[in-house]
Amino acid sequence: MADIVFAILAIFALVGAFGMISFHSPIHSALSFIVTILALAGIFALLSAPFLFAVQIIVYAGAIMVLMLFIIMFLNVRESNFPKEPNKFISMFFGSILLLPVNIFIVRAFLKMPEKSMEIVEDGFGNIGSLSMELFTRWLLPFEAISILLLVALVGAVVLARKEES
Amino acid sequence: MSETAVIIETIVKAVVVLSVVAGMGAFATWIERKVLAFMQRRLGPMHVGPYGVLQLAADGIKLFTKEDIIPQNALKPIFVLAPIVAATSAFVAMAAIPYFPEFTVFGYTVHPIVSDINVALLYVMGVASVGIYGPLLAGMSSANKWSLLGAARAVVQILSFEVVSGLSVLAPIMMIGSLSLIDINDFQSGGVTNWLLWKQPLAFLLFAIAGFAETNRSPFDTIEFEAEIVSGFATEYSGMRWGLFFVGEYANMITIAVLVSIIFMGGYNPIWFIPGAIVMLLKVSFWIFLFLWVRAAWPHVRPDQLMWVCWKVLMPLALVNILITGIVLV
């Protein structure tokens, strides 16, 4: 059962990702990216990581992509503003051939990994309690460093958006 | 229990929740017209059926048979997709909500929840927040200035008030220590005095205000304020496509009513001699009535006032509430 669900979600994720790079208009690209995000959230749920699942939906689908679409809406891009992309699919094809060595390297690295069980861990692995215990004990310093990074970005945005006194 | 049985049970539950909530939503439109009418010393719908109840059916027939108009400049696939997103996200959010206490039928225990996940609250709020794509896509694809303005207002308002509702609900969660709605409900068992409402009055107030704003109800219905932006994001929609937006809005209203009842008002715990299921129905009905009452009693606010109150009053209050709860708990 889990395999079937995984296959469906994986197909959705791949189709969404392909649509994102191949659609011409940014709105369609953004929408197919949302499909990928939701499919990934489903895969997290399948891996018994409920917190990651909920956060993926709230943060990526519910906030970040909404803001992206919002910006696309306000830039009011017209069809004539898009660059013409002649032979798009041929260049994509050759581009992916050029990337083939990298992919082979990744697959080889994956195959050389030490033998580990690939079973889905049972309940309690990715829920809020165990996740926050990890975050606030072992990974406390990186966690706080990332918080400061986000704070810097926030302050920067406020400074940039401030009206100049004239 | 075998896997197939679980799948069948889940599908049955999903269909039941879907049809009951859709039916309640349709009935709520009639109730809304009646309540508003009585508060304004009118009679409301009276001619179709006894007390106008069959007005529902008449409206349904009208919506289904109306000509479906898609504007020429609209982005057709997205225009068609938007109302479906609005309605489905509103219903998908209900999958993790426990409506009633569990009961036994023919020796088989039924849990009235489609899927019991341990981050139910996050799930409901997350999926409900995905519903923002409905107005956003509708406004973007309609090729209409009012639609665009309505979509902009919708995004700004819903995203802002999600911050308030998320922060306000954090304080009760800190006390309970679980995101499962069943745990939240069980935490308040044992009578009215155990309701979280008394321990977290500020969080309750903030969550209720944010609920009004997120479901686009008066006094915060700046998204489709007729006098300013015609009908907002739904201006170009007609027939059943518009009906889907409407159904989604009422489903969201019911979700908020159920969430407030479970988190702050003791959920489906029995009170005195009244069984839990009845208690839950009464609470949800009360909240739906409150939505209508407020609509009849209060005027609109301006969008800039709304943003001011959200970011400069409600959000700081929610943060202070979290701080105080943390100090008290430690």
Side-chain angles (χ1 to χ4, degrees):
Chain A
M1 187 63 208
D3 288 338
I4 303 171
V5 178
F6 175 79
I8 295 170
L9 288 172
I11 289 169
F12 268 111
L14 287 177
V15 168
F18 183 74
M20 190 205 140
I21 52 171
S22 55
F23 272 125
H24 194 59
S25 86
I27 299 178
H28 293 142
S29 291
L31 283 181
S32 45
F33 188 44
I34 294 167
V35 172
T36 305
I37 286 173
L38 292 180
L40 283 183
I43 290 177
F44 285 140
L46 210 58
L47 292 172
S48 75
F51 182 67
L52 213 51
F53 156 74
V55 163
Q56 172 93 357
I57 291 180
I58 294 179
V59 175
Y60 283 93
I64 291 181
M65 287 314 292
V66 169
L67 288 179
M68 294 249 183
L69 276 173
F70 200 61
I71 291 164
I72 294 171
M73 179 167 95
F74 268 86
L75 288 181
N76 196 14
V77 243
R78 289 167 199 287
E79 195 71 33
S80 54
N81 297 1
F82 300 147
K84 291 202 182 58
E85 297 171 314
N87 308 329
K88 183 175 168 186
F89 286 95
I90 298 177
S91 41
M92 266 164 70
F93 178 71
F94 282 111
S96 48
I97 287 182
L98 279 179
L99 277 175
L100 211 57
V102 182
N103 290 333
I104 291 174
F105 174 73
I106 292 172
V107 171
R108 281 174 64 102
F110 182 73
L111 289 176
K112 288 238 171 93
M113 276 202 295
E115 202 67 27
K116 279 269 182 185
S117 163
M118 291 290 177
E119 293 291 300
I120 293 175
V121 189
E122 282 306 307
D123 283 350
F125 154 69
N127 63 18
I128 282 193
S130 49
L131 194 82
S132 35
M133 280 312 283
E134 281 286 303
L135 265 188
F136 287 96
T137 51
R138 238 171 94 194
W139 304 99
L140 183 62
L141 203 63
F143 183 73
E144 293 297 332
I146 289 173
S147 317
I148 290 173
L149 192 69
L150 286 176
L151 190 66
V152 168
L154 199 71
V155 173
V158 170
V159 168
L160 283 179
R162 196 179 47 137
K163 275 195 191 128
E164 286 294 324
E165 305 265 331
S166 58
Chain B
M1 198 164 24
S2 73
E3 215 162 48
T4 342
V6 175
I7 294 173
I8 292 173
E9 191 191 338
T10 310
I11 290 173
V12 169
K13 279 178 186 171
V15 169
V16 168
V17 168
L18 186 69
S19 43
V20 168
V21 172
M24 275 171 71
F27 192 60
T29 60
W30 180 75
I31 298 276
E32 170 152 23
R33 291 164 80 171
K34 274 296 187 192
V35 169
L36 285 183
F38 284 135
M39 284 184 183
Q40 295 159 350
R41 291 187 158 193
R42 296 185 284 119
L43 285 174
M46 281 302 279
H47 289 292
V48 195
Y51 295 98
V53 182
L54 291 179
Q55 187 70 42
L56 280 178
D59 283 345
I61 293 168
K62 178 198 146 199
L63 277 183
F64 271 108
T65 53
K66 208 171 172 179
E67 187 190 354
D68 180 35
I69 302 170
I70 296 179
Q72 207 163 25
N73 288 336
L75 288 168
K76 198 173 171 231
I78 299 179
F79 188 84
V80 174
L81 186 70
I84 301 174
V85 170
T88 38
S89 63
F91 282 108
V92 169
M94 294 177 167
I97 296 179
Y99 292 95
F100 299 126
E102 53 188 52
F103 54 90
T104 314
V105 181
F106 302 126
Y108 175 71
T109 315
V110 182
H111 303 271
I113 176 169
V114 178
S115 167
D116 180 17
I117 50 178
N118 58 14
V119 287
L121 188 54
L122 270 186
Y123 171 84
V124 175
M125 293 175 76
V127 176
S129 78
V130 171
I132 197 176
Y133 284 115
L136 179 57
L137 296 178
M140 283 173 84
S141 63
S142 290
N144 178 323
K145 277 179 190 161
W146 311 123
S147 304
L148 200 65
L149 282 174
R153 286 187 179 189
V155 170
V156 170
Q157 173 175 331
I158 298 176
L159 271 186
S160 308
F161 274 91
E162 255 162 33
V163 175
V164 175
S165 66
L167 286 177
S168 65
V169 91
L170 207 57
I173 290 171
M174 281 159 69
M175 296 178 65
I176 299 161
S178 169
L179 282 170
S180 162
L181 288 170
I182 295 180
D183 288 349
I184 293 174
N185 172 73
D186 293 345
F187 183 81
Q188 307 170 68
S189 62
V192 180
T193 46
N194 284 10
W195 287 6
L196 267 177
L197 173 60
W198 314 121
K199 291 171 193 150
Q200 291 285 351
L202 187 58
F204 168 72
L205 209 62
L206 294 175
F207 190 78
I209 292 174
F212 273 83
E214 275 175 48
T215 49
N216 183 24
R217 297 295 302 180
S218 178
F220 304 131
D221 59 344
T222 60
I223 298 175
E224 356 179 14
F225 188 16
E226 287 83 357
E228 287 170 8
I229 49 171
V230 191
S231 183
F233 61 87
T235 305
E236 295 289 356
Y237 282 85
S238 62
M240 210 47 222
R241 295 192 204 287
W242 180 82
L244 280 177
F245 277 122
F246 205 59
V247 168
E249 195 181 313
Y250 274 87
N252 274 333
M253 228 166 91
I254 294 172
T255 309
I256 292 286
V258 174
L259 273 188
V260 175
S261 314
I262 291 181
I263 301 172
F264 293 101
M265 293 172 68
Y268 47 77
N269 291 305
I271 301 177
W272 198 22
F273 64 90
I274 315 172
I278 310 273
V279 169
M280 190 70 189
L281 275 179
L282 285 176
K283 282 171 189 164
V284 173
S285 316
F286 169 74
W287 270 94
I288 301 283
F289 178 72
L290 199 69
F291 275 121
L292 310 181
W293 189 4
V294 169
R295 177 173 171 185
W298 289 91
H300 300 274
V301 296
R302 285 201 317 265
D304 61 314
Q305 293 170 329
L306 192 64
M307 286 303 107
W308 180 83
V309 96
C310 173
W311 290 105
K312 294 193 174 166
V313 181
L314 301 181
M315 202 194 69
L317 278 179
L319 287 175
V320 168
N321 191 35
I322 291 174
L323 189 71
I324 295 172
T325 312
I327 291 171
V328 172
L329 281 180
V330 171

